[in-house]
Amino acid sequence: MAEGKTGGGARWLFWLFAAIGLCAALAVIYIALRVATIGSGRVIEPAPIEARNPEQRFTVADTDAIPGTDLVQIVIATEASVSGGHDSYSRGDRPDERNLILLDQASGASRKLLPDNSRRIVARYMLPAVAGASKGDSEWFTMTGSDGKDVTPPVAYYLLRVRAAQGQSEDLLLGNIASGRQDFVLKGIDGVDRIWMQTPTRIAMLLRQQRKLHYRAFEVPELKLAVARPVEID
């Protein structure tokens, strides 16, 4: 009888220590995954943050160093589009981005590119002051280096396609990284099909507005329209 109790107690201790060991192993794996993703800037478990209106809940969807600068871009998105029951972000879908903040890593000074979080960022592009640079698979523009491989040159400008407050049209926000000057250079367009750097200071694009195809070019330092021409399709 005593042997049976002793055997049962030993088995109970065995399973207890096995459970503790399993928990410890899972904890180590979790920590390793967190450490492995620090360099990517990706937030694995976004925590909600509140705007001035406590009913509005947002989150940091991503952070990335901006090439050639001391700045980090902080992507602010709606909480529902990143986590919880509407976890489109984990499936690889684009989150509902509402603002972009540029943070100086040395001083901690920051500036947001949109005045509030009421409109959606449809797409964002970081542009170099390099003629011939074209858009890659992300918001970064690339060019071919001396070794024949694509490289990301220092960023000088940015362009945001922002969903208009009313309807499905877009407004284009163009800005200068160094000076902080920016302006909505186009409003009420249907979409953008191609963007490229024509000169170190001029950005050109093919876009649609009122169901027509257009070519537009802007001098970025002055935020001024340089060329505007229709593109006839028939």
Side-chain angles (χ1 to χ4, degrees), residues 30-47 59-65 72-78 81-83 87-97 100 124 137-140:
Y30 172 79
I31 293 172
L33 289 174
R34 293 289 295 182
V35 171
T37 54
I38 288 176
S40 68
R42 183 71 64 184
V43 178
I44 294 180
E45 296 179 357
T59 190
V60 176
D62 204 359
T63 62
D64 271 313
V72 169
Q73 63 170 358
I74 304 171
V75 181
I76 302 299
T78 58
S81 70
V82 179
S83 61
D87 193 5
S88 60
Y89 192 54
S90 65
R91 298 195 304 268
D93 297 341
R94 183 181 177 86
D96 183 3
E97 298 179 4
L100 193 65
R124 48 188 165 84
D137 295 332
S138 65
E139 74 269 22
W140 311 111

Side-chain angles (χ1 to χ4, degrees), residues 115-130:
D116 54 52
N117 303 328
S118 62
R119 296 190 288 175
R120 182 173 188 174
I121 299 175
V122 179
R124 48 188 165 84
Y125 313 95
M126 293 292 171
L127 309 155
V130 178

Side-chain angles (χ1 to χ4, degrees), residues 141-156:
F141 273 55
T142 60
M143 59 179 296
T144 303
S146 57
D147 57 357
K149 297 180 180 180
D150 286 344
V151 295
T152 303
V155 171

